[in-house]
Amino acid sequence: MSKPNFQAMTLNELRRYVLAHREDKEAWDEFAARPRPNAVIVSADTPVEEQERIIRELVDRSK
């Protein structure tokens, strides 16, 4: 059986694939390397209080 083309899959398709084939390290590596469009990146140097404020602000905006 040939491997699927992981680069051609959407993030959701790849997610479904890795959940069904948890032993496929190549698929997991591709999944982990993909950018997440809704990810919020906060520097590790940011104080916890500031991280909490950022998260609360984002949650409030999403309501």
Side-chain angles (χ1 to χ4, degrees):
M1 184 169 91
S2 64
K3 288 260 189 185
N5 182 351
F6 302 128
Q7 285 89 22
M9 291 181 174
T10 66
L11 185 59
N12 284 335
E13 290 169 337
L14 187 54
R15 178 182 174 275
R16 284 192 300 271
Y17 180 88
V18 296
L19 289 173
H21 302 88
R22 294 173 188 259
E23 74 289 345
D24 191 333
K25 184 175 176 352
E26 184 182 347
W28 274 107
D29 290 344
E30 175 64 26
F31 182 73
R34 291 280 182 96
R36 302 301 193 272
N38 296 325
V40 176
I41 299 171
V42 180
S43 169
D45 297 336
T46 304
V48 172
E49 296 81 13
E50 179 67 8
Q51 292 177 25
E52 291 172 344
R53 184 194 65 73
I54 292 168
I55 292 169
R56 273 195 302 279
E57 185 178 296
L58 291 168
V59 168
D60 289 345
R61 265 196 261 158
S62 69
K63 291 180 181 179

